[in-house]
Amino acid sequence: MMNYSITALFWLATATLLLGLWKRTKLWRAGQPAEFAWLNLLAIPKRYFVDLHHVVAREPFIARTHVATAGGAVAALGLVAINYGLMLYCAALNWAILAATAIMLIGVFFVWLRRRNAPARLSRGAWSRLPYSLAAFALGLLIVNLPVTVLSAGVAVFALLLLLVGSAELALGIGLGGPMKHAIAGLLHLAFHPRQERFSGKLSTALMTLDLTNQEYGINKPSDFKWNQLLGFDACVQCGKCEAACPAFAAGQPLNPKKLIQDLVLGLSNDEKSGKTDANFAGSPYPGLPIGEHSGSMHAPIVPSLIEAETLWSCTTCRACVQECPMLIEHVDAIVGLRRNLTLTQGAAPGKAPQTLENLRQTATVGGYDRNARYHWAVDLDVKTIQPNMPVDLLLVAGEGAFDMRYQRTLRALVKLLKAAKMDFAVMGALERDTGDTARRLGDEATFQSLAKQNIDTFNSLTFKRIVTADPHVMHSLKNEYPALGGNYEVLHHTTLLAQLASSGQLKLGKSAETRKLTYHDPCYLGRYNGETDAPRDLLKAIGLQVNEMERSGLRGRCCGGGGGAPLTDIPGKQRIPDIRIQDARNIGAELVAVGCPQCTSMLEGVVRNRPDVLDIAELVASVMEHAS
Amino acid sequence: MSIKNIVALVSAGRHPISGQARHCRNDSLAMTIGLALTSDLNAENANSVNLKVIHAGHAKNAALTDYLALGASQIDVIPALENADIVDSLAENLKNVDVILMGSRAESGQDSGLLPYLLAEKLNYSLVANVLTIKQTTEGIEALQFLPKGKRRSVKVTMPTVIVIHPLAPVQLRHAYARQANGHISQFATQTPTQESKYSCTVEWQTQSTIRKPNKLKAKENKSGHARMLSATVSENKGGAVVNDGNSVEKAQVILSYLREHRLINF
Ligand code: SF4
Ligand code: SF4
């Protein structure tokens, strides 16, 4: 009797789950078509155990908890499928099920333990019931598999009820959008992830190119996302790791990447007429924006009824959220996609952004400068300016920092080092146009593409082997985003090149006389966007400086606040992002912050005294040369 | 009287540093004000008022696409013929228009800043200059005029009228690529000039370098911050003296002693 009930329950739950999945699939399919391969379903186990677990394992406690809970559950369900689903009712399998449920119960106990002292980033609401419903499932299954021949009727009914409650959580999740939705959507997301390169160990950080001639103007409503992006949003487990990493959230600006993803989930799953608001969201709100006042649906414009524009304009595109997300969700793609629509169809970028975009269109510089003046800082350094028919090894692309008197010191230091290493190099002179990086982050794909095409034409008319730049934003555009438009170059950050030259002995370095306590701030566009965290540290080590790491460093470094056009849109918050970063440096007692980016330099130097000094690595290295000579 | 036809005249600008063709900001302000007025009118009384955007020049001019991006769905280009005066060609096409909007500042090339005046004269329309905002009233339209020192003046405008927008008009320009991609630029059929222009552009232009401007003699002031603020905001508070008495020699003497007192001349 008992066995038959479980078999019935199993198939009922399976049918419910499939029905729910079918319902949810219909929602995802309202999105735009995207290329995908069914075969990737086979890659799920590898992607789960390697790529996803790689992220989860940063927090060993929760990693082990999840392994026990999910592993136990999956094993138990598999065994139940065989034993009860196929009606084998074999005693040995009962034992195996017992073991699996016991492991699961232990896992659930730790889930419960953690929920008692949950960090603020975790969502409550439906998620708070999860330890109980999972425990019900595990306990129910455990009892019915106990090796006693006769259970008292009361216990048997109780156990079946527990099992029913637990199975409901598992089976209804995907269809009703409950917490267990993450298991199904998460696994499918691993198979059909919009950035498949991520699973081949490569960085995938370039924004997708819009086909403007085909009137692709970004995301206006949820159904404008690709279907696999919608699926990705559904994978979110509301762990809030993105929230905890987000500099804009920390600064009290109205952005919370977790809430943003949940708003999109609300948008994709909401019935047009229900008018359901975000009131059910049980996590931290967007700072300063109350919950319960926004609503949206699949075919309704997202901004401003579902997400406010200022939320989108707060983002620095630092990718810290993407770096932290255990479900490999791509927040920045969503944010830039929404920005693109605002900028391209309404010209609605706030603050100084419109002026900047106009400057880029009309002068090919961010600040509206004369392009002929870009290399004025090099006038006394006897640097070659590249011309067609003048082959050089190395092309130095200075970027917008060349117009900034502070950053010119860095560039001069770099030129001196390149000369000391006897490099055959030239600058671009008046031929250099802005890469369009800022325009692209601000959603102005048209201006980006027009600048990129002009730059690619210029590069094609020149002969050089490699490009070096001191600006990671320039590097990211040229190296990662120009290929989609037909420009393929070998692009090096100046710290990478200098580290190579130093280790090969082509650049002879002494030891630095610097005695101040030093730390290094990783630029997001060098670290997370280009994976370069070693060269700057190697270089500092080569000149005898010890790097004291801040609380967040390397690939998990905290943003300076300067990326993504955020200083231009300048959305008010409670504090400024660079102040937070400088506080990180103060906390470890650093007196000197080494940087490798013009944006970081100006953001961190913009913090009022008393603060650690800010010097580019090129300046530090060049000062060693001066002492030596 | 209700408004039926609104026209915004737009000209081709150039970026002062890069020399790149671009919209003329002042005309864009005028056009944007026109667009807002049109959509207000259409919202109120469902009759479809259309804003016509007209440029006299060449349809191929790269500057025009900016106006599309800034909100014009269509730009009609009146060919600028040699020998023809654009005032004539424009006037020809601006009969029966209720409101003509344009910017007030000459920006480059052959711009003189006189076009609105010549046009109003030729068409015998009223003209309001230095306008910041316009709104429709039951009798027609009311324009808010810019006056120096933060003063503003509201004027009732009789139509048909030429309205010249001030560079400080509180308008936010919004450049959207999608509009540029969807907009049209169409050229009017070429007409033969009816008469020789009196402001002909065919004369050879001469260029010469600018002459150094004479320096204005200005007394060094030692005023407090408050006093400077007052003189910047309150027109009565300029300081100095008004001399009405005496003959011209005596008056000149006052000026001379002022200049000596402030060491602006030393003889
Ligand atoms: S988006 Fe990712 S990191 Fe953020 S809450 Fe969801 S699963 Fe966690
Ligand atoms: S990219 Fe950075 S600023 Fe933007 S949402 Fe993610 S963490 Fe926040």
Side-chain angles (χ1 to χ4, degrees):
Chain A
M1 183 57 214
M2 180 67 123
N3 282 345
Y4 292 130
S5 324
I6 299 173
T7 300
L9 186 58
F10 173 79
W11 285 114
L12 180 69
T14 308
T16 313
L17 186 108
L18 288 175
L19 192 71
L21 180 59
W22 177 72
K23 253 182 68 189
R24 206 72 190 177
T25 313
K26 271 211 316 205
L27 295 178
W28 299 330
R29 288 182 47 154
Q32 302 302 306
E35 273 179 40
F36 73 100
W38 285 110
L39 263 183
N40 285 339
L41 285 171
L42 299 178
I44 291 178
K46 178 257 163 189
R47 292 176 177 186
Y48 177 81
F49 286 111
V50 179
D51 301 288
L52 187 146
H53 216 265
H54 176 72
V55 184
V56 181
R58 289 177 203 152
E59 215 185 336
F61 171 82
I62 202 65
R64 276 180 231 128
T65 305
H66 192 260
V67 166
T69 318
V74 169
L77 282 172
L79 292 165
V80 167
I82 297 169
N83 199 25
Y84 294 96
L86 304 179
M87 303 171 65
L88 301 181
Y89 311 130
C90 153
L93 284 175
N94 280 354
W95 280 104
I97 294 176
L98 260 183
T101 47
I103 294 172
M104 182 180 172
L105 257 183
I106 297 170
V108 170
F109 172 71
F110 283 106
V111 175
W112 175 78
L113 210 61
R114 178 168 129 106
R115 283 265 151 201
R116 289 188 28 173
N117 268 319
R121 60 180 165 84
L122 286 186
S123 286
R124 279 137 186 96
W127 290 86
S128 299
R129 70 163 190 252
L130 208 53
Y132 302 102
S133 49
L134 290 181
F137 175 80
L139 203 61
L141 203 54
L142 188 105
I143 297 174
V144 297
N145 277 292
L146 282 178
V148 262
T149 33
V150 211
L151 284 176
S152 81
V155 175
V157 170
F158 174 68
L160 277 177
L161 276 179
L162 281 180
L163 198 54
L164 188 67
V165 168
S167 309
E169 181 74 274
L170 298 186
L172 289 171
I174 186 76
L176 299 184
M180 286 314 293
K181 174 187 69 169
H182 84 269
I184 310 286
L187 293 175
L188 292 175
H189 174 54
L190 284 180
F192 303 127
H193 197 286
R195 288 177 179 270
Q196 293 286 326
E197 315 87 87
R198 281 189 70 164
F199 303 108
S200 51
K202 286 200 210 92
L203 283 176
S204 171
T205 54
L207 292 171
M208 321 257 170
T209 306
L210 288 185
D211 183 359
L212 293 169
T213 50
N214 212 4
Q215 309 227 332
E216 283 181 17
Y217 298 143
I219 311 294
N220 178 248
K221 40 196 192 302
S223 58
D224 289 340
F225 282 106
K226 298 224 162 82
W227 71 267
N228 52 2
Q229 288 182 290
L230 294 178
L231 162 64
F233 303 146
D234 257 344
C236 173
V237 291
Q238 302 197 33
C239 66
K241 290 195 178 168
C242 52
E243 166 186 323
C246 177
F249 180 80
Q253 290 173 283
L255 167 62
N256 174 352
K258 174 172 101 173
K259 171 84 164 62
L260 183 106
I261 297 300
Q262 283 313 307
D263 281 349
L264 293 172
V265 170
L266 174 70
L268 83 94
S269 58
N270 214 3
D271 186 4
E272 226 119 301
K273 283 164 222 97
S274 83
K276 202 171 97 186
T277 68
D278 57 350
N280 283 340
F281 176 70
S284 326
Y286 297 125
L289 296 179
I291 277 179
E293 293 173 4
H294 289 81
S295 168
S297 61
M298 188 63 99
H299 300 287
I302 293 173
V303 180
S305 55
L306 185 57
I307 298 173
E308 294 289 345
E310 70 213 64
T311 295
L312 305 172
W313 297 116
S314 297
C315 175
T316 69
T317 66
C318 72
R319 280 184 78 84
C321 45
V322 184
Q323 180 72 22
E324 292 304 310
C325 179
M327 304 309 281
L328 313 185
I329 293 168
E330 295 281 345
H331 315 66
V332 178
D333 286 345
I335 291 174
V336 175
L338 288 157
R339 283 185 178 188
R340 282 173 165 173
N341 194 260
L342 292 179
T343 302
L344 292 174
T345 68
Q346 300 169 33
K352 295 204 192 82
Q355 184 59 55
T356 299
L357 295 174
E358 182 155 287
N359 289 341
L360 283 170
R361 280 190 291 268
Q362 293 173 359
T363 67
T365 67
V366 168
Y369 299 110
D370 184 353
R371 278 201 280 144
N372 296 304
R374 198 188 291 269
Y375 288 92
H376 276 182
W377 52 268
V379 75
D380 59 334
L381 294 178
D382 188 24
V383 182
K384 284 190 284 186
T385 304
I386 198 169
Q387 274 143 25
N389 312 325
M390 186 184 100
V392 288
D393 260 358
L394 193 63
L395 182 61
L396 171 61
V397 179
E400 182 72 13
F403 295 109
D404 174 44
M405 283 180 51
R406 162 66 185 91
Y407 204 67
Q408 288 168 1
R409 298 212 302 267
T410 302
L411 291 167
R412 290 177 65 90
L414 176 58
V415 163
K416 282 179 196 153
L417 290 167
L418 293 178
K419 290 194 142 185
K422 307 224 163 35
M423 296 297 289
D424 174 27
F425 74 102
V427 296
M428 271 189 91
L431 292 177
E432 180 178 336
R433 289 180 175 82
D434 193 273
T435 57
D437 172 83
T438 310
R440 190 168 226 200
R441 300 323 121 184
L442 287 170
D444 193 345
E445 182 74 0
T447 301
F448 167 74
Q449 287 189 10
S450 129
L451 284 168
K453 280 176 191 144
Q454 296 178 62
N455 273 325
I456 290 173
D457 285 347
T458 309
F459 286 138
N460 285 346
S461 72
L462 304 172
T463 320
F464 58 88
K465 295 207 186 85
R466 296 186 293 176
I467 292 176
V468 66
T469 179
D471 185 338
H473 299 264
V474 168
M475 176 186 182
H476 171 63
S477 291
L478 296 182
K479 184 176 163 209
N480 303 328
E481 298 195 332
Y482 276 33
L485 297 164
N488 293 288
Y489 316 103
E490 186 184 345
V491 190
L492 297 172
H493 189 244
H494 68 310
T495 55
T496 313
L497 178 68
L498 292 175
Q500 282 172 8
L501 293 175
S503 74
S504 73
Q506 202 174 340
L507 183 64
K508 296 198 176 49
L509 297 172
K511 295 293 172 209
S512 173
E514 190 61 64
T515 52
R516 288 173 288 182
K517 191 170 181 191
L518 171 105
T519 187
Y520 169 64
H521 164 79
D522 287 274
C524 308
Y525 275 73
L526 185 61
R528 278 188 290 274
Y529 276 81
N530 282 295
E532 181 62 278
T533 53
D534 293 339
R537 291 176 169 81
D538 292 347
L539 203 52
L540 289 167
K541 210 156 118 204
I543 56 169
L545 291 177
Q546 195 209 334
V547 179
N548 302 278
E549 297 292 356
M550 288 183 271
E551 185 195 330
R552 292 191 190 172
S553 64
L555 294 179
R556 307 179 77 185
R558 198 201 294 272
C559 179
C560 72
L568 301 166
T569 54
D570 200 19
I571 303 299
K574 293 219 166 48
Q575 44 180 335
R576 294 178 63 249
I577 297 173
D579 290 343
I580 304 178
R581 189 52 171 161
I582 285 291
Q583 192 54 45
D584 285 348
R586 284 199 190 107
N587 288 347
I588 58 157
E591 297 156 290
L592 184 60
V593 182
V595 291
C597 168
Q599 295 284 344
C600 301
T601 312
S602 73
M603 293 310 283
L604 297 181
E605 279 203 336
V607 174
V608 287
R609 305 255 174 182
N610 274 326
R611 55 151 169 78
D613 279 333
V614 179
L615 282 178
D616 193 280
I617 294 185
E619 293 178 283
L620 285 165
V621 178
S623 73
V624 172
M625 304 287 301
E626 273 152 30
H627 285 295
S629 61
Chain B
M1 181 183 164
S2 73
I3 306 171
K4 280 180 221 75
N5 296 308
I6 310 177
V7 166
L9 298 186
V10 297
S11 62
R14 275 153 67 92
H15 192 277
I17 292 174
S18 67
Q20 192 169 315
R22 64 161 187 185
H23 66 112
C24 164
R25 191 186 139 78
N26 218 188
D27 289 335
S28 304
L29 297 179
M31 183 184 84
T32 310
I33 287 177
L35 285 167
L37 179 69
T38 337
S39 73
D40 282 356
L41 290 172
N42 286 336
E44 263 170 44
N45 36 11
N47 59 346
S48 71
V49 184
N50 202 0
L51 175 83
K52 232 178 168 178
V53 180
I54 293 182
H55 169 71
H58 300 283
K60 292 261 153 56
N61 196 322
L64 295 185
T65 54
D66 270 351
Y67 292 107
L68 296 178
L70 289 165
S73 48
Q74 161 144 2
I75 301 175
D76 296 319
V77 178
I78 299 174
L81 297 173
E82 282 192 27
N83 300 331
D85 186 345
I86 63 160
V87 175
D88 296 329
S89 345
L90 280 172
E92 198 61 36
N93 290 285
L94 292 173
K95 290 174 182 151
N96 307 320
V97 171
D98 303 310
V99 180
I100 302 173
L101 288 155
M102 66 185 92
S104 62
R105 180 171 282 179
E107 225 182 43
S108 66
Q110 299 175 349
D111 304 0
S112 65
L114 284 176
L115 180 76
Y117 300 92
L118 297 171
L119 205 55
E121 182 190 40
K122 173 125 199 149
L123 292 163
N124 202 16
Y125 287 3
S126 69
L127 180 139
V128 197
N130 292 329
V131 172
L132 293 168
T133 58
I134 50 178
K135 65 169 192 259
Q136 199 207 11
T137 61
T138 40
E139 294 117 73
I141 51 179
E142 208 176 277
L144 187 70
Q145 255 185 329
F146 172 92
L147 296 177
K149 306 225 175 213
K151 287 197 178 161
R152 301 290 182 260
R153 174 170 64 192
S154 183
V155 286
K156 271 191 199 132
V157 184
T158 44
M159 288 188 290
T161 181
V162 174
I163 290 191
V164 191
I165 300 297
H166 189 270
L168 290 180
V171 171
Q172 195 179 5
L173 298 181
R174 292 184 153 204
H175 186 286
Y177 174 81
R179 292 196 288 240
Q180 176 180 326
N182 295 334
H184 301 284
I185 299 176
S186 57
Q187 175 126 15
F188 278 27
T190 318
Q191 306 142 325
T192 34
T194 42
Q195 66 191 85
E196 191 77 6
S197 160
K198 57 179 161 150
Y199 316 100
S200 175
C201 306
T202 49
V203 280
E204 275 296 306
W205 285 69
Q206 289 181 356
T207 52
Q208 62 183 67
S209 42
T210 49
I211 317 157
R212 250 183 80 192
K213 287 206 189 102
N215 278 343
K216 198 170 160 189
L217 294 179
K218 220 175 156 208
K220 265 206 194 117
E221 286 180 287
N222 258 337
K223 283 200 273 187
S224 70
H226 178 68
R228 270 185 284 132
M229 183 69 183
L230 274 185
S231 62
T233 51
V234 183
S235 49
E236 295 82 41
N237 209 308
K238 276 221 173 85
V242 180
V243 186
N244 288 322
D245 304 332
N247 60 29
S248 55
V249 176
E250 284 163 353
K251 285 176 185 165
Q253 198 60 49
V254 176
I255 296 173
L256 198 57
S257 51
Y258 175 86
L259 292 174
R260 286 197 175 122
E261 182 191 330
H262 290 277
R263 291 171 205 273
L264 292 169
I265 49 173
N266 50 5
F267 52 87

